Amino acid sequence: FQLYGYCYQDSNDIPDTLTTITELGSPLEMIQLLQTSWEDRFRICLSLVRLLHYLAHSPLGSVTLLDFRPRQFVIVDGELKVTDLDDASIEESSCTSNSDCFMEFPARNFTLPCSVEGRCQSMNEKRNLYNAYRFFFTYLLPHSAPSSLRPLLDKIVNATGNRNKRGNAKYLALELSPSLSVNSEFTQKCVKSANTKYRRVPEAFIPDENYRCWPSYHHKGCLLSVFDVSEAIEICDSYSQCKAFVLTNQTTWTGRQLVFFKMASNHIMPDPDKITYVKVTD
């Protein structure tokens, strides 16, 4: 979380007062997140993975968030950031045997090895990872994910939810980060050959004729991201009410193009930044 400044004040009424000035973020609402596109949820999970990796290798050592819940986070420019560090700790639990390194959670328990130095190995990191798994990854990653990425996502989610050697922040960062590539498997899709024909109308836009779809980047219309025109055609063919679509010059954070899907093409207006495709009827 970006710290812009702080002020220390010692008064008779409130001694040892520290006021911090931080960037403004939006409260985290899980129900609202589940209604957003998978790309946006993927971005949030990726930013969380980067945070987990930083906490595990911070200049102070491995840091754990003892109160690791959604209310401790905000969203800033589409990425997840922690806001409350009151319950952060760098103390790794001391131990004399493995039984002293027992971690208990509502649905699962873990026993970590006790090191020769008398500290529970990676307990801070494991606590953060499992809390990220049960509060974030299980809800945000698999839900409506691209079919081509589901095997990888299942592997990632299972690694964080089990006592697994691969279940660490470095592994998550290495597995999840390559999916950022615009030409990665995530952004591409196996598109069936379409039988429907479309007429291409360059520099044109359909201002009305909206219908709602899910998930959409626009609450009053059907605005989705596509890899190319072929994917847009496949999406339009999958909606019975779709009779046309408009390619915009806007892209998502992964480079996918935003497309408006329309239920008619009666009124087409000129627009140099858009291309309209109209379904050809017999």
Side-chain angles (χ1 to χ4, degrees):
F1 203 61
Q2 183 68 42
L3 177 67
Y4 290 125
Y6 61 91
C7 178
Y8 176 77
Q9 181 180 3
D10 190 1
S11 65
N12 294 328
D13 298 330
I14 308 176
D16 301 328
T17 301
L18 179 65
T19 302
T20 60
I21 304 170
T22 60
E23 60 186 325
L24 183 65
S26 302
L28 189 67
E29 299 290 344
M30 192 61 67
I31 294 179
Q32 292 181 3
L33 286 181
L34 291 174
Q35 297 173 347
T36 62
S37 70
W38 187 84
E39 284 178 85
D40 290 342
R41 285 183 274 119
F42 176 81
R43 185 180 186 182
I44 289 171
C45 289
L46 186 62
S47 61
L48 178 56
V49 166
R50 290 169 176 161
L51 172 63
L52 293 172
H53 187 268
Y54 177 80
L55 292 175
H57 305 90
S58 81
L60 298 176
S62 182
V63 179
T64 187
L65 302 179
L66 299 176
D67 190 11
F68 197 115
R69 284 182 285 183
R71 68 183 184 185
Q72 305 294 90
F73 299 84
V74 296
I75 297 177
V76 180
D77 296 330
E79 298 195 0
L80 194 71
K81 297 193 177 185
V82 63
T83 62
D84 192 349
L85 295 175
D86 290 348
D87 297 306
S89 173
I90 59 174
E91 295 295 327
E92 293 277 16
S93 299
S94 59
C95 59
T96 56
S97 65
N98 291 351
S99 60
D100 295 329
C101 302
F102 181 73
M103 299 175 64
E104 186 175 6
F105 294 96
R108 195 166 297 171
N109 301 326
F110 302 94
T111 300
L112 300 178
C114 180
S115 69
V116 294
E117 294 82 12
R119 295 289 177 182
C120 296
Q121 292 184 14
S122 304
M123 178 170 277
N124 286 348
E125 182 179 11
K126 189 64 181 180
R127 182 182 288 110
N128 289 341
L129 284 167
Y130 189 76
N131 281 326
Y133 159 81
R134 69 191 186 108
F135 286 119
F136 293 96
F137 295 146
T138 53
Y139 300 106
L140 300 182
L141 273 179
H143 180 56
S144 70
S147 57
S148 60
L149 268 187
R150 283 173 188 165
L152 172 62
L153 296 176
D154 289 341
K155 183 172 67 171
I156 291 173
V157 172
N158 289 335
T160 57
N162 295 289
R163 186 178 177 273
N164 191 314
K165 290 183 179 180
R166 297 181 306 174
N168 56 55
K170 183 178 180 180
Y171 164 79
L172 291 180
L174 290 174
E175 288 289 339
L176 217 54
S177 294
S179 297
L180 281 173
S181 172
V182 173
N183 294 317
S184 68
E185 187 179 15
F186 153 52
T187 62
Q188 300 185 44
K189 195 172 180 180
C190 214
V191 180
K192 301 176 182 177
S193 58
N195 295 322
T196 310
K197 293 183 178 180
Y198 287 80
R199 177 169 56 92
R200 185 177 183 271
V201 186
E203 298 186 356
F205 177 64
I206 303 173
D208 302 313
E209 310 296 350
N210 291 314
Y211 66 89
R212 293 183 179 180
C213 68
W214 185 90
S216 174
Y217 286 91
H218 194 283
H219 68 283
K220 291 185 178 180
C222 187
L223 180 63
L224 303 175
S225 68
V226 302
F227 178 68
D228 55 16
V229 175
S230 297
E231 186 175 349
I233 290 175
E234 185 190 24
I235 292 174
C236 191
D237 285 346
S238 68
Y239 287 97
S240 59
Q241 64 267 54
C242 183
K243 305 301 180 186
F245 60 87
V246 181
L247 298 180
T248 72
N249 61 354
Q250 296 176 298
T251 59
T252 65
W253 68 283
T254 59
R256 287 168 63 90
Q257 192 168 10
L258 289 175
V259 176
F260 275 106
F261 293 89
K262 304 288 184 173
M263 61 182 179
S265 57
N266 299 324
H267 182 46
I268 299 180
M269 295 183 60
D271 190 321
D273 297 324
K274 296 179 177 63
I275 302 173
T276 294
Y277 285 80
V278 179
K279 186 178 290 188
V280 177
T281 57
D282 296 332

